[in-house]
């Protein structure tokens, strides 16, 4: 097995890493590294799985290769050749975040392996590629967000219309002047109708507001002006009734009987 592996580097940050070239440096193995301790039967099985996975990746069956390497590296994480190959395949498929994580696993499991320097360079390259991809996605998303309202308005207005070319594939073209004028008239009609509906709604809300304010004022007038007067009158009437009842109970006395007769003569409606 090779003690060192050459990893080409990008000339500058804007240049993509040549993962295909890196992948081409992986070759089939005839024996396992000495630090990988396993029985003879296990060694044969590990070599068989690794070489088949490499062959599948070379022939374009990347998914099968990734499945095999995922299982192999899960069981034998210290097998740096297989783990780093898995990371390179992920990076070659532009799965840079997963590739970066895989390279980090290799460095943690086999920090002293002969491949450690090459793996670290691959990890850095995958990280840079991931950052660039995320930046591009972010810019694309922002551009889409900025253009979305414009496209939606143009599509809604009919200024853009879809037509089919000779191949039947839709393409977007400008509507004719007559069609645009018709769209503008329809928009003006819709706008006028919306304004009328809005005005009616505003008047309704204003009417409800005035009614609520008037009801609130009437309630306040009753609660703070009329109600106290009514309560005072009721209290006064209750005291008079009590006084009349007491006088009735003591009418046998001449002075009280005289007062009671004078009261009834003055207020004849109180006679029972």
């Amino acid at each position: 097995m090779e003690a060192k592996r050459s990893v080409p580097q990008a000339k500058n940050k804007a240049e993509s890493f040549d993962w295909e070239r890196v992948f081409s440096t992986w070759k089939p193995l005839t024996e396992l590294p000495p630090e990988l301790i396993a029985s003879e039967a296990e060694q044969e099985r590990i070599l068989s799985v690794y070489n088949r996975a490499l062959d599948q990746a070379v022939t374009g069956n990347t998914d099968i290769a990734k499945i095999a390497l995922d299982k192999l590296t899960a069981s034998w994480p210290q097998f740096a050749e297989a783990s780093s190959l898995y990371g390179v395949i992920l990076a070659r498929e532009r799965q840079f975040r997963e590739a970066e994580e895989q390279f980090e696993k290799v460095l943690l499991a086999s920090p002293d392996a002969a491949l450690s320097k090459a793996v670290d360079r691959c990890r850095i390259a995958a990280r840079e590629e991931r950052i660039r991809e995320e930046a591009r996605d972010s810019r694309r998303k922002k551009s889409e967000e900025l253009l979305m309202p414009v496209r939606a308005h143009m599509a809604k207005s009919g200024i853009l219309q879809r037509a089919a070319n000779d191949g039947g594939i839709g393409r977007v073209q400008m509507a004719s002047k007559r069609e645009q004028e018709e769209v503008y008239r329809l928009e003006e009609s819709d706008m006028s109708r919306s304004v009328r509906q809005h005005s009616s709604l505003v008047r309704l809300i204003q009417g409800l507001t005035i009614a609520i304010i008037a009801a609130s004022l009437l309630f306040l007038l009753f609660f703070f002006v009329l109600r106290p007067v009514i309560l005072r009158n009721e209290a006064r009437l209750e005291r008079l009734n009590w006084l009349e009842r007491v006088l009735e109970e003591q009418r046998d006395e001449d002075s009280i009987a005289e007062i009671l007769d004078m009261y009834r003569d003055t207020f004849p409606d109180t006679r029972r």
Side-chain angles (χ1 to χ4, degrees), residues 65-255:
K66 287 193 295 185
I67 292 172
L69 289 171
D70 183 61
K71 293 180 179 179
L72 182 60
T73 55
S75 301
W76 300 93
Q78 67 274 32
F79 188 8
E81 283 281 348
S83 298
S84 55
L85 173 61
Y86 187 22
V88 170
I89 292 175
L90 289 170
R92 194 176 67 155
E93 294 292 305
R94 306 193 68 80
Q95 296 177 252
F96 297 117
R97 181 179 295 279
E98 293 82 356
E100 181 184 0
E101 293 174 355
Q102 182 61 31
F103 291 133
E104 289 175 351
K105 291 179 182 178
V106 178
L107 294 174
L108 288 173
S110 306
D112 299 326
L115 288 173
S116 58
K117 290 184 179 180
V119 171
D120 190 49
R121 287 196 293 271
C122 288
R123 179 190 63 82
I124 294 172
R127 180 177 181 275
E128 292 175 351
E129 294 276 11
R130 173 181 62 79
I131 293 173
R132 281 196 291 270
E133 285 278 327
E134 290 175 352
R136 282 194 293 268
D137 291 342
S138 178
R139 288 194 297 269
R140 189 182 304 113
K141 185 177 180 181
K142 288 180 180 178
S143 299
E144 289 292 332
E145 289 176 352
L146 291 174
L147 291 174
M148 191 177 297
V150 178
R151 290 175 178 172
H153 175 71
M154 295 178 73
K156 182 180 179 181
S157 301
I159 295 175
L160 290 177
Q161 65 178 8
R162 185 169 294 279
N165 56 20
D166 295 336
I169 301 174
R171 59 185 176 86
V172 175
Q173 65 179 17
M174 295 298 295
S176 65
K177 183 177 180 180
R178 180 181 177 183
E179 291 171 335
Q180 293 182 26
E181 290 176 352
E182 181 65 24
V183 168
Y184 292 146
R185 282 196 297 272
L186 291 174
E187 282 192 342
E188 289 176 357
S189 176
D190 292 341
M191 187 176 297
S192 299
R193 184 164 55 254
S194 299
V195 169
R196 288 195 298 271
Q197 292 175 351
H198 180 70
S199 300
S200 300
L201 180 61
V202 169
R203 286 195 295 271
L204 177 61
I205 293 174
Q206 289 176 345
L208 291 174
T209 304
I210 293 172
I212 292 172
I213 293 173
S216 301
L217 291 175
L218 290 175
F219 173 77
L220 293 174
L221 178 65
F222 169 78
F223 190 83
F224 291 105
V225 178
L226 298 179
R227 183 172 176 272
V229 173
I230 294 172
L231 292 177
R232 285 196 298 271
N233 288 336
E234 289 180 351
R236 188 180 297 112
L237 180 60
E238 185 178 357
R239 289 195 297 270
L240 290 174
N241 289 335
W242 178 83
L243 180 60
E244 185 178 0
R245 187 170 59 253
V246 172
L247 292 174
E248 284 285 351
E249 292 174 355
Q250 299 181 8
R251 65 181 302 171
D252 295 337
E253 298 181 12
D254 295 339
S255 59

